Amino acid sequence: MPTPSPARVHECTVVKNEPIAQDIFALRIGSPELARMLEPGQFVDIAVPGNAMSLLRIPLSFAEADAEAGTIDIWYAVVGDGTERLSRMEPGATTTVLGPGGHGWTIPEGCRRALLVAGGIGVPPILCLARELARRNIPYTVCIGAASADRLVGEAEFEAAGSPVISIATDDGSAGYHGFCTAAAEQVLEVEGGEFDYVATCGPEPMMAKVAAAAERAGVTCEASLERMMSCGFGACATCAVETKSGMKGACMCGPVFDAKEVVW
Amino acid sequence: MSSVSMAVDFAGIQLKNPINTASGTFGFGWQFQNFFDVSRLGAITTKGCAAEPWPGNPKPRMTEVRGGMMNSVGLQNPGVRGMVAESGEFLADLASKGTAVICQVAGHSTAEYVVALELFEELCPWAAAFELNVSCPNIDQGGAAAGSTPEGAAEVMRACRPITKRPLLVKMAPVRLPEIARALEAEGADGLTVINSIPGMAIDVHTRRSKVSKPTGGLSGPLLHPIAVRMVWEVAQAVDIPICGVGGVTSGEDAAEFILAGASAVSVGMASFPEPDAAVRILGELEAWAESQGVRDINELIGAFEC
Ligand SMILES: Cc1cc2nc3c(=O)[nH]c(=O)nc-3n(C[C@H](O)[C@H](O)[C@H](O)COP(=O)(O)OP(=O)(O)OC[C@H]3O[C@@H](n4cnc5c(N)ncnc54)[C@H](O)[C@@H]3O)c2cc1C
Ligand SMILES: Cc1cc2nc3c(=O)[nH]c(=O)nc-3n(C[C@H](O)[C@H](O)[C@H](O)COP(=O)(O)O)c2cc1C
Ligand code: FES
């Protein structure tokens, strides 16, 4: 029998839930047991009360799981009914969270330098990885992309985590470079690809496909965190399938982080 | 301990209680073992498997709808051999603990059902019964499901019946139920599972595209519960073989409605996604309800609906 998901249903309490950018909230939940179990790149599946017509949990990555404080930091974009209800949860509110979900980042053995590319609300799992790289004293370069300056998140946190270089791009030019963050990532890989042993990316799929292709051209290992519509989050429904070179693989168990070379983009 | 006896006979399978799981919503059982002791359930029904693996549909395969969800998984499955290699040991152990393992059989043609069932019959000595999923797109029927006509459903049943002496169940599509049920009974079906998901559509009006990768998908969840109860009741009037009620069960009362409408067993479906141990909670609630009805045996309540 394949290994079942280690996920359990954990009680959790909202500690903090406030806007940090246009339609983007930072949520801190207290869930000590789960906070101790989470690895960077995994996800959690939260139940958002308030609508009896909505049954499914919402899968969310996290930017930090603090084992000592027992808290989990989540950044989420309000895009529909579920995340809108989540944004109205007040500190002290309780619910349940299912996790840990899936398998996270695998930093290559002996990695000298990493390139991190995050688009939009793809920032949280990349920030979580950056903090892990910093703990291991592995330098990294970050490229962040956002639709506009008021939706840009993570700049201060990446800097605080110790990132030496940050390249920012916005679709409308309201902050940083006018265009997509893939341009900067492609350039970095083309010019100094040899200095990197690892590329990690999370964001819109076309963006990740471009990053993956650039990494492959430069001969650098690349991982990508993929999103799929998930019904269960623990391997029971097959709604989260990702097409890979070795067949369909569930994003909730084999991912959300995949070896980018394996993915059929 | 409850004073009500919960054991039922479903199509010749002795179940320690009427709670089963709906195919495709419970994986192969082991996915749930960390959440609760699966052997507390009367039965589980495994994901539909064909003779050879099926890759399933492209993404997106799911969208949430008011009161449920719509899926377009396309019956992705590892094939009978893949399933046995992966999950056979767990399922054999579960069967030895007294939980009936019902294996669902998928196929794109009558010939494919036959090959798949022959493999199941040979490789799954621990299976208590087999369930034919006649909602798969069928080549013999020009792409329509075999289960959408009495003739198509009967043809599959007729071809499969000689292959096994174990109980053969049919998972029914939500169409022309009484007449298809009668056709299946005549061909020797031992029981009917009513109903499969109801075809639906969900359109993203901004992009004008379907919210799943195909124009239509299968609806599940509380939104279809009253329809499923009505269909179970209609089938119960039409045939003498037992029924397993499926559709939108999230509480003991939902399960009780199926029992009263004439079902001997009840499957929990998508409720297990957000709440992996929903099936045992529902079992407890069903037992409490039976007790509240003042009966000593749940069998007294099967079909006890009064109009
Ligand atoms: C592993 C994983 C990690 C994620 N991490 C984050 C995160 O850190 N921050 C964040 O803001 N969002 C994240 N998401 C996306 C988040 O789950 C969805 O935005 C959320 O479920 C939308 O719910 P809703 O009810 O508000 O929107 P809905 O009204 O259901 O839908 C609004 C839009 O969101 C899309 N959507 C809905 N559900 C999902 C889903 N399960 N996966 C992807 N897209 C979906 C729909 O296609 C639609 O375009 C993650 C998704 C996955 C699978
Ligand atoms: C993700 C998913 C996959 C399913 N796969 C199957 C399947 O393989 N075979 C089948 O007969 N029914 C399948 N179904 C339908 C269920 O077994 C059940 O009939 C339906 O979901 C209604 O029950 P519910 O409302 O309790 O979920 C599937 C349903 C879902 C949500
Ligand atoms: S979300 Fe159910 S199998 Fe991945």
Side-chain angles (χ1 to χ4, degrees):
Chain A
M1 154 179 130
T3 315
S5 162
R8 297 277 191 291
V9 177
H10 304 266
E11 303 287 328
C12 73
T13 308
V14 173
V15 177
K16 194 165 83 173
N17 190 17
E18 34 197 55
I20 52 169
Q22 183 67 43
D23 297 329
I24 298 177
F25 283 68
L27 166 71
R28 174 169 293 168
I29 54 172
S31 196
E33 198 188 353
L34 181 56
R36 276 197 299 275
M37 294 171 82
L38 287 170
E39 304 278 346
Q42 290 188 303
F43 70 95
V44 301
D45 225 346
I46 191 160
V48 186
N51 179 358
M53 298 291 261
S54 168
L55 285 90
L56 299 177
R57 291 170 181 273
I58 295 185
L60 293 167
S61 304
F62 56 92
E64 172 118 58
D66 186 331
E68 260 163 52
T71 56
I72 301 160
D73 286 350
I74 291 163
W75 290 359
Y76 64 95
V78 174
V79 295
D81 171 67
T83 44
E84 202 274 321
R85 273 183 283 121
L86 183 58
S87 74
R88 284 190 271 113
M89 288 185 79
E90 303 269 355
T94 57
T95 181
T96 63
V97 61
L98 190 151
H103 118 104
W105 306 107
T106 308
I107 302 167
E109 201 71 32
C111 176
R112 292 163 302 150
R113 185 177 193 87
L115 174 66
L116 311 181
V117 190
I121 199 63
V123 165
I126 294 287
L127 179 57
C128 194
L129 173 62
R131 288 169 167 157
E132 179 62 25
L133 290 166
R135 274 190 285 275
R136 299 194 197 177
N137 293 315
I138 301 170
Y140 55 89
T141 301
V142 190
C143 304
I144 323 178
S148 52
D150 59 355
R151 285 167 200 267
L152 181 69
V153 290
E155 197 181 348
E157 288 78 3
F158 278 115
E159 254 160 38
S163 154
V165 189
I166 293 184
S167 152
I168 288 167
T170 50
D171 301 355
D172 65 358
S174 53
Y177 174 84
H178 187 174
F180 298 124
C181 61
T182 44
E186 281 166 332
Q187 202 185 350
V188 168
L189 283 168
E190 196 166 322
V191 178
E192 39 184 334
E195 292 181 24
F196 294 92
D197 295 310
Y198 182 43
V199 178
T201 181
C202 183
E205 214 150 305
M207 177 205 103
M208 292 192 284
K210 277 193 168 177
V211 174
E216 193 161 359
R217 281 196 301 275
V220 186
T221 301
C222 177
E223 290 191 306
S225 178
L226 271 64
E227 253 184 35
R228 283 294 180 273
M229 299 300 286
M230 292 183 172
S231 316
C232 72
F234 53 91
C237 72
T239 60
C240 65
V242 169
E243 190 179 351
T244 73
K245 288 177 184 146
S246 40
M248 290 292 188
K249 297 229 166 118
C252 72
M253 293 288 285
C254 304
V257 176
F258 286 88
D259 175 351
K261 274 207 306 293
E262 272 292 296
V263 176
V264 178
W265 293 100
Chain B
M1 262 317 270
S2 140
S3 56
V4 183
S5 163
M6 293 295 281
V8 293
D9 175 321
F10 171 58
I13 321 163
Q14 305 309 314
L15 305 184
K16 55 185 157 194
N17 62 64
I19 298 297
N20 183 4
T21 61
S23 177
T25 64
F26 207 71
F28 297 101
W30 52 263
Q31 286 90 344
F32 289 80
Q33 191 62 39
N34 279 345
F35 293 103
F36 72 101
D37 178 5
V38 175
S39 74
R40 288 177 62 191
L41 303 179
I44 72 162
T45 307
T46 54
K47 174 75 188 173
C49 286
E52 298 300 328
W54 290 2
N57 290 337
K59 61 155 183 165
R61 289 181 170 188
M62 188 278 284
T63 188
E64 198 171 6
V65 297
R66 272 192 292 273
M69 59 181 276
M70 195 176 89
N71 90 82
S72 154
V73 168
L75 265 149
Q76 179 187 327
N77 73 80
V80 182
R81 288 186 196 85
M83 169 202 159
V84 172
E86 214 176 73
S87 310
E89 208 177 315
F90 173 83
L91 294 170
D93 181 58
L94 186 63
S96 76
K97 292 175 180 157
T99 294
V101 177
I102 301 171
C103 291
Q104 190 179 77
V105 187
H108 285 134
S109 64
T110 301
E112 280 190 29
Y113 284 106
V114 166
V115 180
L117 183 58
E118 282 171 350
L119 278 174
F120 271 117
E121 172 66 14
E122 181 194 332
L123 301 176
C124 308
W126 34 262
F130 303 108
E131 177 179 89
L132 304 172
N133 177 357
V134 291
S135 296
C136 318
N138 193 293
I139 317 164
D140 302 340
Q141 315 289 331
S148 53
T149 62
E151 300 75 26
E155 182 186 316
V156 175
M157 190 67 211
R158 198 176 310 131
C160 289
R161 184 65 279 184
I163 299 168
T164 183
K165 289 198 167 56
R166 281 179 264 185
L168 259 186
L169 315 173
V170 180
K171 177 80 174 278
M172 300 194 69
V175 289
R176 301 173 67 179
L177 281 149
E179 47 176 332
I180 296 177
R182 278 191 289 265
L184 288 166
E185 184 177 39
E187 294 298 340
D190 297 288
L192 302 171
T193 305
V194 180
I195 54 175
N196 213 321
S197 49
I198 297 181
M201 283 179 83
I203 302 171
D204 180 330
V205 297
H206 305 290
T207 62
R208 304 187 196 175
R209 287 169 176 274
S210 170
K211 290 187 179 178
V212 295
S213 63
K214 304 273 169 178
T216 65
L219 294 169
S220 303
L223 68 95
L224 50 78
H225 181 65
I227 304 173
V229 174
R230 189 256 297 171
M231 289 178 165
V232 163
W233 180 70
E234 285 176 350
V235 173
Q237 313 293 301
V239 296
D240 292 325
I241 50 177
I243 299 163
C244 175
V246 194
V249 173
T250 61
S251 69
E253 290 198 8
D254 294 337
E257 280 187 87
F258 278 131
I259 301 272
L260 289 172
S264 316
V266 176
S267 283
V268 176
M270 71 157 288
S272 299
F273 294 157
E275 184 194 351
D277 58 357
V280 272
R281 173 182 56 79
I282 291 165
L283 170 59
E285 291 172 1
L286 181 69
E287 209 164 329
W289 165 76
E291 214 168 346
S292 77
Q293 290 294 303
V295 299
R296 302 183 136 230
D297 190 324
I298 186 98
N299 285 285
E300 293 171 48
L301 295 166
I302 296 173
F305 164 63
E306 297 172 14
C307 64

